[in-house]
């Protein structure tokens, strides 16, 4: 009886959400050169919005420049980007603002993570250790030296920028988990509250994993032991992305 009531409640909420969304009208439109794969506001400068594309471009816009036009029928204003940069030669699946929004992190299909300096308009580093496309990347807001990344290879890496990385680095990345790549591509990573807690989502897994980074320990170099065991129950529902608000409740 209870599952049926829950299903009815879900259907009711879905109808309410659909009705609310249909009443929304866009005030601006950003024309991109390709399909957008990720969209994220700056944490420190919330008027800045960044979009990444399948052709390796990123576009940064200032939403305060949007002035809605009262026309009939209503036509959204076309937004001109403040910055358009070509960072990768492959799709950029995820982005995150980094180091007080002075830099931008990009996770791409070329198996690398780029650190792009927004002030100097140049790439400062490429981080490479994934063996397949990087699907998610996150900067730790309480400690900008830490970056987490997850890929289609089923690997989750923790990068410490206080270590000496070359411009095209394949060294010093910390592997937190190596799981089954066919089932468990990492689709989302996000630090929660501080540098000690990391949230992740994976394909074909119905739950969000919570990692306590204080509990892992070194095993033969930079490989870390798994912090939890994978569920044996793989269903058709999975998470495709993960994001958190700027203010956390811990």
């Amino acid at each position: 009886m209870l599952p049926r009531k829950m299903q009815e409640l879900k259907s009711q909420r879905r109808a309410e959400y659909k009705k609310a969304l249909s009443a929304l009208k866009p005030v601006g439109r950003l024309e991109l050169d390709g399909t957008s794969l990720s969209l994220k506001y700056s944490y420190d400068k919330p008027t800045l919005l960044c979009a990444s594309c399948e052709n390796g471009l990123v576009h940064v816009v200032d939403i305060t420049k949007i002035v809605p036009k009262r026309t009939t029928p209503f036509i959204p204003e076309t937004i001109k980007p403040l910055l358009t940069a070509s960072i990768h030669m492959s799709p950029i699946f995820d982005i995150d603002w980094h180091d007080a929004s002075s830099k931008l992190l990009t996770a791409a299909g070329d198996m690398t993570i780029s650190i792009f300096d927004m002030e100097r308009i140049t790439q400062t580093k490429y981080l490479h250790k994934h063996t397949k496309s990087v699907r998610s990347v996150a900067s730790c807001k309480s400690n900008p030296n830490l970056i987490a990344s997850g890929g289609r290879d089923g690997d989750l890496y923790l990068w410490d920028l206080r270590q000496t990385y070359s411009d095209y680095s394949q060294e010093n990345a910390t592997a937190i988990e190596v799981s089954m790549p066919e089932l468990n591509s990492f689709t989302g990573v996000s630090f929660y509250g501080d540098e000690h807690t990391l949230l992740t989502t994976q394909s074909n897994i119905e739950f969000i994993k919570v990692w306590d980074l204080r509990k892992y320990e070194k095993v033969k170099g930079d490989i870390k032991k798994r912090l939890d065991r994978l569920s044996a129950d793989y269903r058709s529902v999975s998470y495709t992305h993960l994001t958190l608000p700027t203010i956390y409740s811990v």
Side-chain angles (χ1 to χ4, degrees), residues 199-240:
L199 306 181
T200 64
T201 55
Q202 292 173 264
S203 60
N204 297 312
I205 291 184
E206 287 189 305
F207 52 85
I208 298 173
K209 288 184 179 182
V210 181
W211 305 77
D212 187 344
L213 301 181
R214 295 169 295 186
K215 293 184 178 179
Y216 66 76
E217 60 187 29
K218 286 189 175 182
V219 179
K220 293 183 179 179
D222 64 354
I223 303 298
K224 308 296 180 177
K225 69 176 183 179
R226 299 187 184 188
L227 301 184
D228 58 2
R229 292 186 177 276
L230 300 178
S231 170
D233 183 15
Y234 297 100
R235 303 180 186 179
S236 59
V237 180
S238 63
Y239 294 92
T240 59

Coordinates of all heavy atoms in Angstrom, one line a residue, residues 199-240:
L199 N 31.5 13.9 -2.3 CA 30.4 13.2 -2.8 C 30.6 12.8 -4.2 O 31.2 13.6 -5.0 CB 29.1 14.1 -2.7 CG 28.8 14.7 -1.4 CD1 27.5 15.5 -1.5 CD2 28.7 13.7 -0.3
T200 N 30.2 11.6 -4.6 CA 30.3 11.1 -6.0 C 29.1 10.4 -6.4 O 28.3 9.8 -5.6 CB 31.5 10.2 -6.1 OG1 31.3 9.0 -5.4 CG2 32.8 10.8 -5.7
T201 N 28.8 10.5 -7.7 CA 27.7 9.7 -8.4 C 28.4 8.9 -9.5 O 29.4 9.3 -10.1 CB 26.6 10.6 -8.9 OG1 27.2 11.6 -9.8 CG2 25.9 11.3 -7.8
Q202 N 27.8 7.7 -9.8 CA 28.3 6.9 -10.8 C 27.1 6.3 -11.7 O 26.0 6.2 -11.2 CB 29.1 5.7 -10.2 CG 30.4 6.1 -9.5 CD 31.0 5.0 -8.8 OE1 30.8 4.9 -7.6 NE2 31.8 4.2 -9.5
S203 N 27.5 5.9 -12.9 CA 26.5 5.4 -13.8 C 26.0 4.0 -13.2 O 26.8 3.3 -12.7 CB 27.0 5.2 -15.2 OG 28.1 4.4 -15.2
N204 N 24.8 3.7 -13.4 CA 24.2 2.4 -13.0 C 24.2 2.2 -11.5 O 24.1 1.0 -11.1 CB 24.9 1.2 -13.8 CG 24.7 1.3 -15.3 OD1 23.6 1.5 -15.7 ND2 25.8 1.2 -16.0
I205 N 24.4 3.2 -10.7 CA 24.3 3.1 -9.3 C 23.3 4.1 -8.8 O 23.4 5.3 -9.1 CB 25.7 3.3 -8.6 CG1 26.6 2.1 -9.0 CG2 25.6 3.4 -7.1 CD1 28.0 2.2 -8.3
E206 N 22.4 3.7 -7.9 CA 21.2 4.5 -7.6 C 21.5 5.4 -6.3 O 20.6 6.1 -5.9 CB 20.0 3.6 -7.3 CG 19.4 3.0 -8.5 CD 18.1 2.3 -8.2 OE1 18.1 1.5 -7.3 OE2 17.1 2.7 -8.8
F207 N 22.7 5.3 -5.8 CA 22.9 6.1 -4.6 C 24.1 7.0 -4.7 O 25.0 6.8 -5.6 CB 23.1 5.2 -3.4 CG 24.1 4.1 -3.6 CD1 25.5 4.4 -3.3 CD2 23.7 2.9 -4.0 CE1 26.4 3.4 -3.5 CE2 24.7 1.9 -4.2 CZ 26.0 2.1 -3.9
I208 N 24.2 8.0 -3.9 CA 25.3 9.0 -3.8 C 26.3 8.5 -2.8 O 25.9 8.2 -1.6 CB 24.9 10.4 -3.5 CG1 23.9 10.9 -4.6 CG2 26.1 11.3 -3.4 CD1 23.3 12.2 -4.3
K209 N 27.6 8.4 -3.2 CA 28.6 7.9 -2.2 C 29.2 9.1 -1.5 O 29.4 10.2 -2.0 CB 29.7 7.2 -2.9 CG 29.4 5.8 -3.4 CD 30.6 5.1 -4.0 CE 30.2 3.7 -4.5 NZ 31.4 3.1 -5.1
V210 N 29.4 8.9 -0.2 CA 30.0 10.0 0.7 C 31.4 9.4 1.1 O 31.4 8.4 1.8 CB 29.1 10.3 1.9 CG1 29.8 11.4 2.8 CG2 27.7 10.7 1.5
W211 N 32.4 10.1 0.8 CA 33.8 9.7 1.1 C 34.4 10.6 2.2 O 34.3 11.8 2.1 CB 34.7 9.8 -0.2 CG 34.2 9.1 -1.4 CD1 33.2 9.5 -2.2 CD2 34.7 7.9 -1.9 NE1 33.1 8.6 -3.3 CE2 34.0 7.6 -3.1 CE3 35.7 7.0 -1.5 CZ2 34.2 6.5 -3.9 CZ3 36.0 5.9 -2.3 CH2 35.2 5.6 -3.5
D212 N 34.9 9.9 3.2 CA 35.7 10.7 4.2 C 37.2 10.6 3.9 O 37.8 9.5 4.1 CB 35.4 10.0 5.6 CG 36.0 10.8 6.7 OD1 36.9 11.7 6.5 OD2 35.6 10.6 7.9
L213 N 37.7 11.7 3.4 CA 39.1 11.6 2.9 C 40.1 11.5 4.0 O 41.3 11.3 3.7 CB 39.3 12.9 2.0 CG 38.4 13.1 0.8 CD1 38.8 14.3 0.0 CD2 38.5 11.8 -0.1
R214 N 39.7 11.7 5.2 CA 40.7 11.5 6.3 C 41.0 10.1 6.6 O 41.9 9.8 7.3 CB 40.1 12.2 7.6 CG 39.9 13.7 7.5 CD 39.1 14.2 8.6 NE 37.8 13.7 8.6 CZ 36.8 14.2 9.4 NH1 37.1 15.1 10.3 NH2 35.6 13.7 9.3
K215 N 40.2 9.1 6.1 CA 40.3 7.7 6.4 C 41.1 6.9 5.4 O 41.4 5.7 5.7 CB 38.9 7.1 6.6 CG 38.2 7.7 7.8 CD 36.9 7.0 8.0 CE 36.1 7.6 9.2 NZ 34.8 6.9 9.4
Y216 N 41.5 7.5 4.3 CA 42.2 6.6 3.3 C 43.7 6.6 3.7 O 44.2 7.5 4.4 CB 42.0 7.0 1.9 CG 42.5 8.4 1.5 CD1 43.9 8.6 1.3 CD2 41.6 9.5 1.3 CE1 44.4 9.8 0.9 CE2 42.1 10.7 0.9 CZ 43.5 10.9 0.7 OH 43.9 12.1 0.3
E217 N 44.4 5.6 3.3 CA 45.8 5.5 3.6 C 46.6 5.0 2.4 O 46.0 4.3 1.5 CB 46.0 4.5 4.8 CG 45.5 3.1 4.5 CD 45.5 2.2 5.8 OE1 45.4 2.8 6.9 OE2 45.6 1.0 5.6
K218 N 47.9 5.2 2.4 CA 48.7 4.8 1.2 C 48.9 3.3 1.2 O 49.1 2.7 2.2 CB 50.0 5.6 1.3 CG 50.0 7.0 0.9 CD 51.4 7.6 0.8 CE 51.3 9.1 0.3 NZ 52.6 9.6 0.1
V219 N 48.9 2.8 0.0 CA 49.2 1.4 -0.2 C 50.1 1.3 -1.5 O 49.6 1.6 -2.6 CB 47.9 0.6 -0.4 CG1 48.3 -0.9 -0.7 CG2 47.0 0.7 0.8
K220 N 51.4 1.1 -1.3 CA 52.3 1.0 -2.4 C 52.3 2.2 -3.3 O 51.8 2.2 -4.4 CB 52.1 -0.3 -3.2 CG 52.3 -1.6 -2.4 CD 52.1 -2.8 -3.3 CE 52.3 -4.1 -2.5 NZ 52.1 -5.3 -3.4
G221 N 52.8 3.3 -2.8 CA 52.9 4.5 -3.6 C 51.7 5.4 -3.5 O 51.3 5.7 -2.4
D222 N 51.1 5.7 -4.6 CA 50.0 6.7 -4.6 C 48.6 6.0 -4.7 O 47.6 6.7 -4.7 CB 50.1 7.7 -5.7 CG 50.0 7.1 -7.1 OD1 50.0 5.8 -7.2 OD2 50.0 7.8 -8.1
I223 N 48.6 4.7 -4.7 CA 47.3 4.0 -4.8 C 46.7 3.9 -3.4 O 47.3 3.5 -2.5 CB 47.4 2.6 -5.4 CG1 48.1 2.7 -6.8 CG2 46.1 1.9 -5.5 CD1 47.2 3.5 -7.8
K224 N 45.4 4.3 -3.3 CA 44.7 4.3 -2.0 C 43.7 3.1 -2.0 O 43.2 2.7 -3.0 CB 44.0 5.6 -1.8 CG 44.8 6.9 -2.0 CD 45.9 7.0 -1.0 CE 46.7 8.2 -1.2 NZ 47.7 8.4 -0.2
K225 N 43.4 2.7 -0.8 CA 42.5 1.6 -0.6 C 41.1 2.2 -0.8 O 40.8 3.4 -0.7 CB 42.6 1.0 0.8 CG 42.1 2.0 1.9 CD 42.1 1.2 3.2 CE 41.6 2.1 4.3 NZ 41.6 1.4 5.6
R226 N 40.2 1.3 -1.2 CA 38.8 1.7 -1.4 C 38.2 2.1 0.0 O 38.4 1.5 1.0 CB 38.0 0.6 -2.0 CG 38.4 0.2 -3.3 CD 37.5 -0.8 -4.0 NE 38.1 -1.3 -5.2 CZ 37.4 -2.1 -6.1 NH1 36.2 -2.5 -5.8 NH2 37.9 -2.5 -7.2
L227 N 37.4 3.2 0.0 CA 36.8 3.6 1.2 C 35.4 3.0 1.5 O 35.0 3.0 2.6 CB 36.6 5.2 1.1 CG 37.9 6.0 0.9 CD1 37.6 7.4 1.0 CD2 38.9 5.6 1.9
D228 N 34.8 2.4 0.5 CA 33.6 1.6 0.8 C 33.5 0.5 -0.3 O 34.2 0.5 -1.3 CB 32.4 2.5 0.8 CG 32.2 3.3 -0.5 OD1 33.1 3.1 -1.4 OD2 31.3 4.1 -0.7
R229 N 32.5 -0.3 -0.1 CA 32.3 -1.4 -1.0 C 31.2 -1.1 -2.0 O 30.2 -0.4 -1.6 CB 32.0 -2.7 -0.3 CG 33.2 -3.3 0.5 CD 32.9 -4.6 1.1 NE 34.0 -5.2 1.8 CZ 35.0 -5.8 1.2 NH1 35.0 -6.0 -0.1 NH2 36.0 -6.3 1.9
L230 N 31.2 -1.6 -3.2 CA 30.2 -1.3 -4.2 C 29.0 -2.2 -3.9 O 29.1 -3.3 -3.5 CB 30.7 -1.5 -5.6 CG 31.9 -0.7 -6.0 CD1 32.3 -1.0 -7.4 CD2 31.6 0.8 -5.9
S231 N 27.8 -1.6 -4.2 CA 26.6 -2.4 -4.1 C 26.5 -3.4 -5.2 O 27.0 -3.2 -6.4 CB 25.4 -1.5 -4.1 OG 24.2 -2.3 -4.2
A232 N 26.0 -4.6 -4.9 CA 25.9 -5.6 -6.0 C 24.6 -5.5 -6.7 O 24.3 -6.2 -7.6 CB 25.9 -7.0 -5.3
D233 N 23.7 -4.5 -6.3 CA 22.4 -4.3 -6.9 C 22.5 -3.2 -8.0 O 22.4 -2.0 -7.6 CB 21.4 -3.9 -5.8 CG 20.0 -3.8 -6.3 OD1 19.8 -4.3 -7.5 OD2 19.2 -3.2 -5.6
Y234 N 22.6 -3.5 -9.2 CA 22.7 -2.6 -10.3 C 21.4 -2.5 -11.0 O 20.9 -3.5 -11.6 CB 23.8 -2.9 -11.3 CG 25.2 -2.9 -10.7 CD1 25.8 -4.1 -10.3 CD2 25.8 -1.7 -10.5 CE1 27.0 -4.1 -9.7 CE2 27.1 -1.7 -9.9 CZ 27.7 -2.9 -9.5 OH 28.9 -2.9 -8.9
R235 N 20.8 -1.3 -11.0 CA 19.4 -1.1 -11.6 C 19.6 -0.2 -12.8 O 20.6 0.3 -13.1 CB 18.4 -0.6 -10.6 CG 18.3 -1.5 -9.4 CD 17.3 -1.0 -8.3 NE 17.4 -1.8 -7.1 CZ 16.6 -1.6 -6.1 NH1 15.8 -0.5 -6.1 NH2 16.7 -2.4 -5.0
S236 N 18.4 0.1 -13.4 CA 18.5 0.9 -14.6 C 18.6 2.4 -14.3 O 18.8 3.2 -15.2 CB 17.2 0.6 -15.4 OG 16.0 0.9 -14.7
V237 N 18.3 2.8 -13.1 CA 18.4 4.2 -12.7 C 19.7 4.6 -12.3 O 20.4 3.9 -11.5 CB 17.3 4.5 -11.6 CG1 17.4 6.0 -11.3 CG2 15.9 4.2 -12.1
S238 N 20.2 5.8 -12.7 CA 21.6 6.2 -12.3 C 21.6 7.8 -12.3 O 20.7 8.4 -12.9 CB 22.7 5.7 -13.1 OG 22.5 6.1 -14.5
Y239 N 22.6 8.3 -11.7 CA 22.8 9.8 -11.7 C 23.7 10.2 -12.8 O 24.7 9.5 -13.1 CB 23.4 10.2 -10.3 CG 22.5 10.0 -9.1 CD1 22.6 8.9 -8.4 CD2 21.6 11.0 -8.8 CE1 21.8 8.7 -7.3 CE2 20.8 10.9 -7.7 CZ 20.9 9.7 -6.9 OH 20.1 9.5 -5.9
T240 N 23.4 11.3 -13.5 CA 24.3 11.8 -14.6 C 25.0 13.0 -14.2 O 26.0 13.4 -14.9 CB 23.4 12.1 -15.8 OG1 22.4 13.1 -15.4 CG2 22.7 10.9 -16.3

